[in-house]
């Protein structure tokens, strides 16, 4: 498979029409159709059904779309890295991060680094630690800000100074909003929205102890923002860390900590023994120094 053909395939997927995709790619429609047919022959599968108005991907086409997006993104990132190897430091640093208090320290670090190297730009992906790790392992992200617990065997990292605090998000008109904190027994009877990460659920299970088997889990959610929307609509009580919603409007939703308190920490991590662009290498060295002084 050639990257050029994968780009053709992705253009057709985006446009849902071969003729429109050919116009975007500045090639003829017969040429594009022939390239797609050759790709299907090479793979030995049918990738799409060609309807009268738009194309529809087969299950094999959906799989290729995911893989093609990863390959093209990696190729684009590699080109940018080679382009940034000149005397003037420039390029793009890709960072994955969850929603946590430690993001503020990361932002300050990026601001200070950009002050020294103004031609360097950043690409920020917001996702759970598991997704960020997966993207790092594929070479699509340089650095990840990860909420523990997480397996760090393949990574070097800096432990962030900020301590995360677990608690419950609820509507301000809820009777429990008058409380200073909430216990496991009180939460066990409520409709809950838990984090989707299994390792985090295990941490919460340890905190709940014997109450955990009788929890009423209405939703699981991978990011706090959508969980907050569900809370605002009265769908449940979300368990999350305090600073995952830094701009929370307390007229709509409020946070109450757990009792006994449950904390967590975050790490800024990168793959061990992985070659990085000059910009990413400089940023890692800069972050080690900067974050040690925070």
């Amino acid at each position: 498979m050639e990257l050029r053909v994968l780009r053709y395939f992705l253009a057709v997927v985006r446009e849902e029409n071969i003729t429109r995709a050919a116009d975007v790619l500045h090639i003829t429609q017969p040429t594009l159709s022939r390239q797609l047919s050759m790709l299907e022959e090479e793979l030995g599968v049918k990738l799409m059904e060609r309807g009268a108005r738009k194309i529809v991907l087969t299950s094999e086409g959906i799989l290729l779309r995911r893989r093609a997006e990863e390959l093209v993104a990696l190729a684009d990132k590699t080109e940018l890295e080679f382009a940034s190897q000149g005397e003037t430091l420039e390029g793009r640093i890709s960072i994955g991060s969850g929603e946590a208090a430690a993001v503020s320290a990361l932002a300050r670090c990026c601001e200070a680094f950009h002050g020294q190297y103004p031609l360097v730009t950043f690409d920020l992906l917001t996702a759970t630690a598991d997704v960020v790790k997966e993207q790092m392992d594929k070479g699509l992200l340089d650095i990840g800000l990860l909420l523990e617990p997480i397996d760090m065997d393949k990574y070097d990292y800096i432990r962030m100074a900020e301590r995360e605090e677990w608690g419950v998000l609820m509507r301000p008109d809820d009777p429990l909003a008058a409380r200073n904190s909430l216990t496991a027994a009180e939460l066990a009877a409520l409709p809950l929205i838990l984090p989707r990460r299994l390792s985090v659920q295990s941490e919460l299970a340890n905190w709940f102890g014997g109450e955990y088997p009788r929890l009423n889990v209405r939703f699981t959610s991978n990011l706090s923002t959508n969980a907050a929307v569900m809370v605002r609509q009265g769908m449940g009580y979300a368990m999350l860390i305090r600073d995952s919603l830094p701009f929370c409007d307390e007229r709509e939703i409020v946070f109450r900590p757990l009792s006994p308190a449950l904390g967590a920490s975050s790490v800024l991590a990168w793959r061990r023994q992985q070659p990085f662009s000059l910009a990413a290498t400089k940023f890692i060295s800069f972050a080690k120094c900067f974050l040690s002084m925070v």
Side-chain angles (χ1 to χ4, degrees):
M1 287 183 291
E2 297 181 24
L3 277 173
R4 172 179 56 83
V5 178
L6 292 179
R7 293 184 193 275
Y8 287 175
F9 171 73
L10 290 175
V12 173
V13 172
R14 285 193 301 271
E15 298 298 325
E16 297 185 331
N17 182 280
I18 293 176
T19 301
R20 287 199 302 270
D23 290 340
V24 170
L25 294 167
H26 304 295
I27 61 177
T28 65
Q29 186 270 332
T31 298
L32 181 55
S33 293
R34 184 165 59 253
Q35 292 287 340
L36 293 175
S37 296
M38 292 172 63
L39 180 61
E40 289 180 324
E41 290 177 11
E42 180 181 357
L43 296 175
V45 296
K46 191 173 183 62
L47 297 172
M48 58 186 70
E49 301 289 346
R50 295 164 175 80
R53 295 189 175 182
K54 68 177 184 177
I55 62 99
V56 178
L57 293 179
T58 63
S59 57
E60 293 82 3
I62 293 171
L63 174 61
L64 180 62
R65 176 184 183 173
R66 290 201 298 268
R67 296 293 181 260
E69 287 173 342
E70 292 172 356
L71 290 168
V72 168
L74 185 57
D76 290 343
K77 183 173 182 293
T78 302
E79 290 176 4
L80 284 171
E81 288 173 350
F82 276 103
S84 68
Q85 300 297 322
E87 292 183 3
T88 302
L89 187 64
E90 55 184 303
R92 180 181 299 165
I93 300 169
S94 55
I95 302 175
S97 173
E99 299 169 312
V103 176
S104 295
L106 174 62
R108 293 192 296 271
C109 183
C110 290
E111 180 188 25
F113 185 81
H114 188 260
Q116 290 192 23
Y117 305 104
L119 296 181
V120 174
T121 60
F122 298 90
D123 178 39
L124 179 63
L125 169 74
T126 303
T128 63
D130 295 335
V131 173
V132 171
K133 259 186 66 175
E134 179 185 355
Q135 296 287 298
M136 291 168 66
D137 290 344
K138 291 177 179 177
L140 299 174
L141 290 174
D142 297 315
I143 300 163
L145 182 62
L146 311 174
L147 179 67
E148 295 184 303
I150 196 158
D151 182 6
M152 300 302 296
D153 287 347
K154 298 184 292 185
Y155 305 89
D156 291 321
Y157 60 91
I158 306 163
R159 177 155 281 109
M160 307 296 282
E162 290 77 9
R163 186 67 176 168
E164 314 292 348
E165 180 184 22
W166 280 95
V168 186
L169 202 66
M170 66 190 72
R171 291 163 56 123
D173 58 355
D174 192 287
L176 293 175
R179 302 288 304 280
N180 292 324
S181 61
L182 293 173
T183 67
E186 290 169 324
L187 291 173
L190 303 176
L192 297 178
I193 302 171
L194 295 187
R196 193 178 183 190
R197 284 182 62 200
L198 295 180
S199 58
V200 172
Q201 289 183 21
S202 295
E203 289 287 300
L204 293 175
N206 289 334
W207 181 83
F208 273 105
E211 303 288 351
Y212 189 76
R214 65 187 190 91
L215 294 188
N216 174 16
V217 180
R218 183 169 288 178
F219 279 97
T220 57
S221 178
N222 66 329
L223 293 176
S224 301
T225 307
N226 285 341
V229 173
M230 295 298 175
V231 171
R232 192 173 59 190
Q233 292 300 122
M235 294 300 296
Y237 299 74
M239 299 196 68
L240 41 75
I241 57 177
R242 180 187 291 274
D243 289 290
S244 61
L245 293 169
F247 306 111
C248 171
D249 185 346
E250 293 201 351
R251 295 171 299 181
E252 296 187 357
I253 46 177
V254 295
F255 177 92
R256 294 293 179 264
L258 303 180
S259 178
L262 177 63
S265 57
S266 298
V267 294
L268 189 68
W270 54 93
R271 279 293 300 267
R272 188 176 296 130
Q273 298 178 337
Q274 176 172 308
F276 292 101
S277 68
L278 182 58
T281 301
K282 287 273 191 183
F283 181 81
I284 291 170
S285 297
F286 182 90
K288 289 178 181 178
C289 180
F290 182 90
L291 293 173
S292 68
M293 298 186 296
V294 174

